[in-house]
Amino acid sequence: MAAITLYNVVMKEYKIPVTPTTTTGSASTNGLRATLHIDPGTVRADLDRRIFGSFVEHMGRCVYTGIYEPDHPTADRDGFRGDVGDLVRELGPTVLRYPGGNFVSSYRWEDGIGPQQDRPTRLDLAWRGIEPNQVGIDEFVPWARSVGAEPMMAVNLGTRGVHEAIDVLEYSNHPSGTQLSDLRAANGSKEPHDVLMWCLGNELDGPWQMGQKTAEEYGRLAAETAKAMRVVDPRIELVAVGSSNSQMPTFGAWERTTLEHTYDQVDYISLHAYYEELDGDRGSFLASAVDMDSFIDGVVSTADHVGATRRSKRKLRLSFDEWNVWYQQRFVGQNQLEWQFARPLIEDRYTAVDAVVVGSLLISLIEHADRVAIACQAQLVNVIAPILTEPGGAAWRQTVFHPFALAARHARGQVVGVGVGSPRYDTALYGDVPLLQATATQDPGSGETCVLAVNRSQTDALAVTVDLSGLGPVELLEHLLLAAEDGTTVNTAQAPDAVAPRVGTAPQRAEGTLEVLLPPVSFSVLRLRPVVS
Ligand code: AHR
């Protein structure tokens, strides 16, 4: 089926192929009905656009033969792939976290500056990579901005400490007149990079991390690093490392101790979570956002507890700076790897089911916009990524590209109240879960309302009555959806649009309501705009 081009350039070029189908496949509703009430009078939070961030780690082929490949036919004069850059602009990440990840915990930032031919080749202890340091801060920051994203840098608090953190900050942000800022200018970046978001290390609670620490050790180091970094540049925002995931034995206690040391020095605490379908339990997998919800709620409670003990008026916000679907059970583990440059590493191929789960996780993040300020889907290219590349060859969108691109483009402004009335189903991991999950945003500028919705039913379409009465006169601009008609198709270089968004079934209108049909295992975007009389 031919692909059509969807609403061209408004902000960035955006050419998601939409299959012009108007059916919902063969699934019937079997009487399944749900209701969705949108209440724009209840503003839950301003949606921080940084919630649509992504992550570039020196790992596998994310950097080399991912974003950067000087010999590629589309490479620009700095060696970055033009075809990948175009796809990143379509995807629309607002933030790019860099350079790791586990990689950063044994990284020496100064290896990545100066003439490229003089840079050392090193062992990357995190992923057993051979790291040639051809991309470093002076290459990455301008590239990130060229694709429309703000860089978010991590400092090494694994094998390094305060000194190296203030050095890289001075190199990056100090205008001039010091050895390091003048070195930056001599290396070709006269203007400061002005990187304003900094992560104080990565996953330092994890035994796999180079330089693992106890919460006490990390809390002290992070507090002292933060203090010194703020002297170098008071404009910066800092992220303290939270638990590597909610299953860590120290979850909760780690956040409490770390924040007891850092509460007044940091702006955010980090969360990381990866989900996969385990033992064929698709019902639980589709409900992964329930786990994300409670993870966020747990960290908020812990942070607020620490805040309360300090009589603080400030509420800490969250940086969910690694999240995605990742089939970790298929990964052999870093200990089994041979030393190698740019080896394919955890290049998961995603199905439409995975894309629906990604859409569902995005809904969870948006629903927590009152506390989640930053979030990064991990990672951007090749490594558990929305974009895949062949060295010297094609670049294409994985299925999970689409929910991210649609949400990043259309969910804007303020998160408004939604009331969901939905049938429920039983899951092995999370108990009783609603089939319908939804969130809504409203853009005060355009007046456009965007509803994101997931139908978790594996068998039945869901007939949803959307109550529009609170919105005034509106019309449905479009209903785009991704549905998992089969759970196995993946996008490939030969069939890059095998799984792509399509147009939803024509909705039925009644007075103040809209009847939409959500196919089984589907992610939908409904765009409603005011009717100007
Ligand atoms: O994104 C892959 C890895 O997952 C990151 O390096 C690490 O921070 C996390 O464990």
Side-chain angles (χ1 to χ4, degrees):
M1 183 155 313
I4 58 168
T5 299
L6 171 70
Y7 38 85
N8 269 323
V9 193
V10 178
M11 278 178 58
K12 298 172 196 163
E13 190 184 5
Y14 186 63
K15 290 181 289 188
I16 288 186
V18 176
T19 313
T21 327
T22 51
T23 67
T24 51
S26 53
S28 83
T29 65
N30 276 330
L32 274 188
R33 300 198 66 80
T35 56
L36 180 61
H37 171 72
I38 305 167
D39 176 14
T42 309
V43 175
R44 306 254 313 275
D46 288 332
L47 181 63
D48 194 321
R49 299 277 310 149
R50 296 177 301 172
I51 226 165
F52 301 115
S54 188
F55 175 35
V56 172
E57 178 166 5
H58 283 251
M59 171 180 179
R61 299 195 308 114
C62 187
V63 173
Y64 304 110
T65 73
I67 61 171
Y68 180 83
E69 191 177 349
D71 296 335
H72 192 272
T74 69
D76 64 18
R77 63 182 181 169
D78 297 321
F80 288 94
R81 284 181 63 151
D83 56 349
V84 173
D86 286 344
L87 286 175
V88 175
R89 283 184 204 95
E90 282 188 27
L91 183 70
T94 51
V95 167
L96 289 175
R97 183 168 174 252
Y98 175 84
N102 296 342
F103 172 80
V104 81
S105 293
S106 56
Y107 178 56
R108 299 171 226 206
W109 68 272
E110 61 274 32
D111 286 348
I113 61 170
Q116 284 168 306
Q117 68 276 12
D118 297 342
R119 297 184 190 177
T121 295
R122 299 248 189 227
L123 298 179
D124 153 35
L125 303 188
W127 304 108
R128 299 191 183 225
I130 299 294
E131 174 55 56
N133 285 300
Q134 293 304 289
V135 174
I137 187 169
D138 291 328
E139 289 78 28
F140 181 77
V141 171
W143 178 79
R145 295 214 167 104
S146 78
V147 293
E150 270 306 296
M152 179 190 196
M153 300 285 298
V155 297
N156 174 359
L157 291 189
T159 60
R160 298 186 129 188
V162 182
H163 194 96
E164 294 86 352
I166 55 176
D167 278 358
V168 65
L169 179 60
E170 180 184 327
Y171 181 87
S172 171
N173 286 12
H174 195 71
S176 64
T178 65
Q179 191 209 21
L180 288 170
S181 56
D182 290 347
L183 181 59
R184 182 196 65 239
N187 286 336
S189 301
K190 184 164 179 299
E191 297 305 319
H193 291 312
D194 279 343
V195 176
L196 298 180
M197 289 173 278
W198 292 82
C199 302
L200 296 164
N202 178 72
E203 294 190 350
L204 287 152
D205 58 335
W208 58 86
Q209 205 69 211
M210 298 301 133
Q212 183 195 7
K213 306 208 165 14
T214 64
E216 197 66 45
E217 289 165 344
Y218 173 70
R220 286 289 305 124
L221 177 60
E224 290 305 315
T225 307
K227 185 172 81 185
M229 288 178 79
R230 286 195 190 283
V231 175
V232 175
D233 187 346
R235 302 169 304 164
I236 58 173
E237 292 194 310
L238 293 169
V239 185
V241 164
S243 294
S244 297
N245 58 69
S246 62
Q247 304 310 309
M248 295 299 287
T250 49
F251 172 56
W254 172 275
E255 280 78 2
R256 188 190 64 228
T257 306
T258 292
L259 290 177
E260 279 166 358
H261 289 291
T262 60
Y263 197 89
D264 297 324
Q265 296 285 2
V266 301
D267 302 282
Y268 310 99
I269 178 116
S270 75
L271 298 81
H272 292 178
Y274 294 101
Y275 298 97
E276 64 189 309
E277 183 176 317
L278 293 168
D279 305 323
D281 180 6
R282 184 155 298 173
S284 295
F285 179 49
L286 287 164
S288 298
V290 174
D291 181 76
M292 183 178 251
D293 289 341
S294 65
F295 188 14
I296 293 171
D297 292 343
V299 174
V300 166
S301 303
T302 310
D304 286 352
H305 163 76
V306 177
T309 62
R310 306 172 77 81
R311 279 83 176 156
S312 176
K313 293 197 168 39
R314 203 164 66 96
K315 293 266 190 242
L316 212 62
R317 296 210 289 163
L318 274 43
S319 172
F320 213 125
D321 45 42
E322 286 187 35
W323 68 269
N324 207 350
V325 171
W326 173 7
Y327 285 87
Q328 297 198 50
Q329 296 229 326
R330 296 178 197 159
F331 178 44
V332 293
Q334 45 272 58
N335 297 344
Q336 307 302 318
L337 303 173
E338 302 291 328
W339 297 106
Q340 198 179 320
F341 165 70
R343 80 156 65 68
L345 201 57
I346 60 169
E347 297 193 1
D348 287 4
R349 300 307 204 247
Y350 292 118
T351 67
V353 178
D354 300 321
V356 171
V357 171
V358 162
S360 168
L361 296 172
L362 282 162
I363 291 175
S364 168
L365 292 167
I366 294 168
E367 279 287 283
H368 288 92
D370 57 333
R371 298 304 288 268
V372 178
I374 303 170
C376 303
Q377 188 183 27
Q379 299 185 6
L380 183 64
V381 184
N382 290 328
V383 177
I384 45 171
I387 297 168
L388 284 180
T389 69
E390 284 172 343
W396 65 99
R397 309 170 190 90
Q398 292 234 64
T399 62
V400 298
F401 183 104
H402 297 297
F404 187 103
L406 289 170
R409 185 158 191 84
H410 297 303
R412 295 179 170 271
Q414 296 169 325
V415 184
V416 296
V418 287
V420 174
S422 170
R424 303 175 76 87
Y425 73 113
D426 195 36
T427 66
L429 294 183
Y430 310 117
D432 194 26
V433 172
L435 288 174
L436 175 65
Q437 181 201 15
T439 190
T441 60
Q442 196 170 61
D443 183 354
S446 65
E448 190 173 314
T449 303
C450 170
V451 177
L452 307 182
V454 161
N455 174 11
R456 293 176 168 130
S457 170
Q458 296 180 57
T459 49
D460 300 319
L462 195 54
V464 183
T465 305
V466 187
D467 176 1
L468 306 173
S469 55
L471 295 177
V474 287
E475 63 182 349
L476 181 70
L477 203 53
E478 58 187 352
H479 173 196
L480 296 170
L481 65 86
L482 252 182
E485 269 109 21
D486 83 68
T488 56
T489 306
V490 297
N491 291 344
T492 62
Q494 292 69 39
D497 301 325
V499 180
R502 61 181 169 78
V503 179
T505 311
Q508 306 295 309
R509 281 208 72 128
E511 190 57 35
T513 66
L514 201 61
E515 289 283 327
V516 288
L517 209 53
L518 307 184
V521 191
S522 64
F523 168 79
S524 285
V525 176
L526 296 166
R527 296 177 62 207
L528 300 152
R529 75 172 163 204
V531 178
V532 186
S533 52

